[in-house]
Amino acid sequence: MHCHQFHPRQLSRRDMLRRCAMGFGGVAMQALLHEEAQAGTVRTNNPLAPRVPHFSAKARNVIFLYMDGGPSQVDTFDYKPLLEKYHGRDPREVIGELAPTQFDNVGKVLKSQWAFKQRGESGAWVSDLFPYLADPEVIDELAFIKSMTSKFSEHTSANYFLHTGSGLQGRPSMGAWFGYGLGTMNQNLPGFVVLNGGLIPPGGLDCFGSGFLPAAYQGSIFLPRDQPIANIRPQESNPELQVNKLKLIDQLDRSILDASGYDSEIEGAIQNYETAFRMQSSVPELMDLRGEPESVKKLYGLEADYKNTQTFGLQCLLARRLVERGVRFIELTCPNGNGDRWDQHGKLFDGHTKNCQTVDQPIAALIKDLKRTGLLESTLVVWAGEFGRTPFAQGDDGRDHNPFGFTVWMAGGGVKGGVSVGETDEWGYKAVQDRFEMFDLHATMLHLLGVEHTKSTYRFSGRDMRLTDVHGHVIKKVLG
């Protein structure tokens, strides 16, 4: 691989071919093949230009509510009364053989500390942890997938798997794949925005990276505050001075591009500079909530007593505003200060109570507000962690990681609300009916936005790469 930063005095054979007629033809062909349109249209020089999907789409945008750490399915949405009957028993005696856990500190069978009730017309089982989501106006919009599985039981690899379809570092995030396949509707904002509540997940920023895709598709990290990103306000007192600086940078970048031929990283850098310049006006407007009614702010919990409810409420409100402005993919991360995210190896009651207090009201408000504004029909909302928790205790009052069967849910954007797909066994331990993997979740998300997952590929290292690798099936039972 050549960095093209230094050039020999005499032309090399490669340079001569590039600068001759046949060389130009080869470079042009390579660029066309390398940047082949995967969503039905030819790409322009703007990598984020909107593109036509493979088929008619139900959704245009995605809001991914990332529940960092792994919520317990048997304490939230997967009611298992058998845990009450055998509470305190040795799980090896009643459940049978157990797979190794992350810490292998296996305690007794542990019942849920929260009561479950069936809610709404759909009769969905919801624990008392979610009084706002339990509202029939909200719960009947959700489609539960109760048989999701992961290939990994450790946070970092599981986070990469959830975000990128691979347990290895360096693959493109699903937000980057959506931007690559479909572009975005607002050229003044990034196509993939991560609203950072305060916790970057294990695995770091690679969870939101573009991997081998051009850099223009990587996630842009916003903080929910007046200045969500650094240096958004120009330092130059004279706007003309800043414009002249940017023109010079653009000329230098393009001169390197002309000399070296196609280079996706330089193209991405040029595009990112241009987007950053336009964001100077669009981001302050995004963050200006003065036009939002006080009733809406209250709905999201911006006046709540618990600070983390306010933080996540602002994230959810900003997510709606980003959707209104045409951003393709928005991811929300958990606020800091709830203990160890959703990762309650101990103090389960305290940790899960705080986490639900953080997200319950804002997420319910988001669903209601999207309905109120007519955006839910075209916005896919996904709630998921990287795995679930065991139905038996770690120590006395925690639960260890469980990748064998857990719950995620989807709403809006062509999803059939009020359904429940798949089942775990009677303990809530392992998926036994309609067992799904992350590849299936990704394939379904792409399908709802009109993208055939097997055709959304990028040539890298001699192979056509895709988010779902060689796997993935659309979960048809959740489609509306």
Side-chain angles (χ1 to χ4, degrees), residues 1-6 12 14-15 18 260 262-263 265:
M1 182 176 179
H2 301 276
C3 67
H4 305 299
Q5 292 179 359
F6 303 96
S12 67
R14 181 187 298 268
D15 287 332
R18 277 180 177 163
S260 63
Y262 176 82
D263 189 311
E265 292 188 3

Side-chain angles (χ1 to χ4, degrees), residues 194-200 221-224 308 311-312 315 331-337:
V194 179
L195 294 172
N196 177 18
L199 287 174
I200 296 296
I221 313 296
F222 284 21
L223 291 170
N308 279 2
T311 300
F312 201 76
Q315 288 177 260
E331 176 168 351
L332 280 62
T333 69
C334 293
N336 202 354

Side-chain angles (χ1 to χ4, degrees), residues 34 171 212 458-465:
H34 195 59
R171 296 293 183 90
F212 47 72
Y458 187 88
R459 192 74 175 175
F460 176 72
S461 192
R463 179 187 166 197
D464 287 336
M465 310 294 285

